Amino acid sequence: MAHAEKITPRSQDFSEWYNDVIMQAQLADYSPVRGCMVIRPLGYRIWELMQRALDDMFKATGHQNAYFPLFIPESFLAKEAEHVEGFAKEVAVVTHTRLRATGKAGAAAVEPDPASELEEPLVVRPTSETIIYAMFAKWIQSYRDLPLLMNQWCNIVRWELRTRLFLRTTEFLWQEGHTAHATEADAEAEARQMLGVYRQFQEEWVAMPVLTGRKTESEKFAGALRTYAVEALMQDNKALQAGTSHNLGQNFARAFNVQYQTAAGGLDFVWNTSWGVSTRMIGGLIMTHSDDNGLVAPPRLAPIQVVIVPIWKNDEERGQVSGVGGQVKDALAKAGVRVEMDLRDLKPGAKYFDWEAKGVPLRLEVGPRDVAAGQVMAARRVKPAAGGKAPLALADVAAAVPKLLDEIQRELFEAAKARREANSIRGVTRTQFLEFMNGPGGFAYGGFCGSGDCEAQIKTETAATIRVLPDPEFQSPEQPRTCMWCGKPSVAEAVWAQAY
Ligand SMILES: [Zn+2]
């Protein structure tokens, strides 16, 4: 085991703390390519668990997976004006198809072969609306072909100069759902449904409470009619957009000529939606739950849910405790628990430290006295209010541990929700808003006049943006009457925050 480094306290430097947690837990690392990251096995396991849960939810709502090319003809991107404007500044462009030797020594011994220049450059997908809807135009003929409900799991590239592991990288992994519908109402229902799927996933799996709502015109997806988002509040009181769902209207259908014959025999453009979540959610998971001892992983997404640590002083004890530990491991594995046993030749304290940094929700210690008493000692990664370790009878372990993991999952969600509410203020005035955003920060609810000018001024002065115009469930009991910034009549309550 590498020598354990100290984690920078969260209160001292949140950004350093976040990086230290990732490095100590071995979730990801920086890559030789600036802006890109390497996802290490434990981090990738979290992504696999996220994928599996979400994929089941997508399929249960009628979607099928497909795969579209990484390369998109440059001209495709230009077909939807708003869309190209939204992505132009971060697109990687492929112009050549091979290298040739320069005859010079060293790293620059090769260069793009001028003879291989592409007639039309290709862009590396920043998102796949254009190429997918070009194919939909081929596949959709009649109203009988609708709705067409697809999803793809892939990587995308949006050029970044600053890197923040899992939050801001040039290449990242995600899923993008793409659907086509006969009517605006069907597309709207789909966009809302998938927002609900994201919410359910974030709350039940990531244990991360989210607000749902609509984005303003200035914050919506380039080319969309309406964008909806799920927004979470991190422990530094900055918001994280953890998923978006767009009603694209007929913008892309018109650009790519996706038409269908209606039941009445006419011809009409389809209505599209797209929706996506990415490896950014792993950043959300880390910043929602973790502490100064390292990663805290919610049990449902923890690569290892339980670690068994046998404790011995001599070989005889080692045989005894590892034998019992092995039985516990088998029983838990049979009960569907992701469990490991740590038989490394290290002091117990060093093992505890290591597994805590890696976020394992539950540790079971087995010493000679526990074996004699027919029990193990259970220690939670996040101590309950009552604190301390609790004995678990060996006969009960397989039944008790899954229940305990469920309880931990619930407690993490409740704690995160309580923290979010404690860091939200409602009915703000302009003065309160400025104090809040220059001070602790968090979610500020207030009236909004609907003007992009107010949004722009607020962003310049405080760096805060409207995260969502919240859905009714999240709106304040009393709706504001005036814009908290300019005093004109309010058209909607808005939630502001500084954001990632
Ligand atoms: Zn205003």
Side-chain angles (χ1 to χ4, degrees):
M1 188 182 76
H3 177 68
E5 309 275 335
K6 239 183 118 62
I7 292 170
T8 306
R10 191 173 37 188
S11 58
Q12 187 184 313
D13 186 332
F14 193 85
S15 158
E16 281 292 310
W17 165 81
Y18 175 73
N19 264 324
D20 289 353
V21 168
I22 290 172
M23 291 299 181
Q24 285 286 312
Q26 300 177 357
L27 299 177
D29 207 342
Y30 292 96
S31 88
V33 181
R34 198 174 158 202
C36 293
M37 70 168 171
V38 176
I39 305 178
R40 300 181 68 179
L42 279 176
Y44 199 77
R45 186 75 183 113
I46 295 177
W47 179 239
E48 285 179 326
L49 291 162
M50 287 179 161
Q51 270 188 310
R52 183 175 303 179
L54 279 165
D55 203 61
D56 286 347
M57 294 166 95
F58 298 158
K59 284 174 179 151
T61 42
H63 303 84
Q64 289 182 304
N65 286 330
Y67 187 78
F68 296 82
L70 169 70
F71 301 121
I72 299 176
E74 197 180 58
S75 58
F76 277 29
L77 218 61
K79 282 194 181 182
E80 213 289 329
E82 256 187 274
H83 189 65
V84 68
E85 199 183 313
F87 287 102
K89 289 183 186 135
E90 50 190 25
V91 170
V93 185
V94 178
T95 54
H96 293 76
T97 68
R98 62 173 182 261
L99 298 171
R100 68 172 186 186
T102 59
K104 286 176 263 171
V110 288
E111 64 184 8
D113 184 345
S116 75
E117 192 170 347
L118 288 169
E119 240 171 78
E120 179 182 356
L122 298 170
V123 302
V124 180
R125 63 181 163 219
T127 176
S128 302
E129 274 77 6
T130 57
I131 196 152
I132 290 180
Y133 300 141
M135 296 309 295
F136 277 16
K138 252 174 104 170
W139 299 336
I140 296 168
Q141 263 96 46
S142 112
Y143 66 94
R144 291 183 208 90
D145 300 324
L146 300 173
L148 188 55
L149 308 173
M150 275 192 195
N151 176 61
Q152 104 166 324
W153 291 98
C154 66
N155 59 340
I156 56 171
V157 166
R158 295 178 187 174
W159 213 261
E160 288 284 353
L161 296 175
R162 298 172 301 147
T163 314
R164 275 174 82 69
L165 297 171
F166 292 115
L167 299 174
R168 198 171 279 283
T169 50
T170 289
E171 180 193 7
F172 57 91
L173 305 181
W174 79 344
Q175 60 72 216
E176 47 181 318
H178 292 275
T179 66
H181 306 265
T183 66
E184 179 174 17
D186 287 353
E188 183 67 14
E190 167 77 6
R192 296 290 321 185
Q193 171 183 249
M194 299 324 286
L195 189 76
V197 164
Y198 289 157
R199 179 188 174 184
Q200 190 187 349
F201 173 74
Q202 319 271 12
E203 293 189 345
E204 293 180 8
W205 291 78
V206 192
M208 183 169 77
V210 290
L211 303 180
T212 64
R214 190 177 156 181
K215 290 280 180 188
T216 60
E217 281 303 298
S218 60
E219 297 284 332
K220 74 173 190 187
F221 176 72
L225 193 62
R226 281 187 283 279
T227 290
Y228 300 101
V230 286
E231 295 276 337
L233 193 64
M234 303 294 100
Q235 291 186 73
D236 59 350
N237 286 339
K238 280 165 84 174
L240 184 79
Q241 177 180 292
T244 49
S245 183
H246 318 287
N247 180 338
L248 300 172
Q250 293 177 308
N251 292 343
F252 288 93
R254 286 178 198 282
F256 289 90
N257 202 27
V258 193
Q259 295 194 77
Y260 74 101
Q261 192 146 43
T262 64
L267 211 52
D268 199 2
F269 291 105
V270 300
W271 296 79
N272 293 114
T273 80
S274 68
W275 27 274
V277 292
S278 72
T279 36
R280 183 169 235 243
M281 287 190 300
I282 299 175
L285 179 156
I286 296 164
M287 292 193 292
T288 297
H289 302 299
S290 302
D291 60 22
D292 286 350
N293 295 327
L295 178 69
V296 171
R300 293 184 87 178
L301 294 174
I304 301 166
Q305 295 173 307
V306 175
V307 63
I308 299 164
V309 182
I311 300 162
W312 65 83
K313 289 203 191 70
N314 53 52
D315 284 352
E316 192 196 331
E317 284 182 2
R318 188 184 198 278
Q320 199 185 20
V321 293
S322 60
V324 171
Q327 287 164 21
V328 172
K329 186 184 171 191
D330 291 347
L332 287 177
K334 216 177 272 176
V337 176
R338 294 186 288 276
V339 57
E340 295 275 343
M341 178 157 67
D342 189 348
L343 289 173
R344 289 177 296 177
D345 195 15
L346 286 171
K347 289 217 166 70
K351 293 182 181 180
Y352 301 168
F353 190 81
D354 187 34
W355 295 115
E356 281 184 6
K358 291 194 171 105
V360 177
L362 189 63
R363 180 177 77 229
L364 300 179
E365 302 165 11
V366 196
R369 270 187 293 183
D370 297 313
V371 172
Q375 66 178 36
V376 295
M377 293 303 286
R380 298 189 193 195
R381 171 63 180 81
V382 177
K383 312 260 177 307
K389 299 174 189 178
L392 273 182
L394 282 174
D396 297 339
V397 166
V401 164
K403 275 190 211 143
L404 201 48
L405 292 173
D406 285 348
E407 197 177 307
I408 293 169
Q409 180 85 25
R410 220 170 22 248
E411 284 174 7
L412 286 176
F413 176 74
E414 292 306 331
K417 196 170 173 184
R419 176 178 52 74
R420 180 189 72 189
E421 291 310 304
N423 291 288
S424 298
I425 53 166
R426 291 176 188 266
V428 282
T429 62
R430 182 169 173 153
T431 311
Q432 287 168 334
F433 180 82
L434 285 168
E435 268 174 22
F436 188 67
M437 288 304 165
N438 293 325
F443 281 145
Y445 292 66
F448 175 51
C449 62
S451 145
D453 292 343
C454 274
E455 273 184 284
Q457 273 181 36
I458 291 166
K459 192 171 178 180
T460 308
E461 284 196 34
T462 66
T465 48
I466 293 179
R467 305 317 304 157
V468 282
L469 306 175
D471 287 334
E473 184 187 339
F474 298 104
Q475 288 168 7
S476 304
E478 201 165 322
Q479 281 298 288
R481 280 190 286 273
T482 56
C483 176
M484 68 86 187
W485 193 255
C486 70
K488 288 184 188 145
S490 168
V491 294
E493 185 177 36
V495 181
W496 280 269
Q498 286 142 353
Y500 279 94

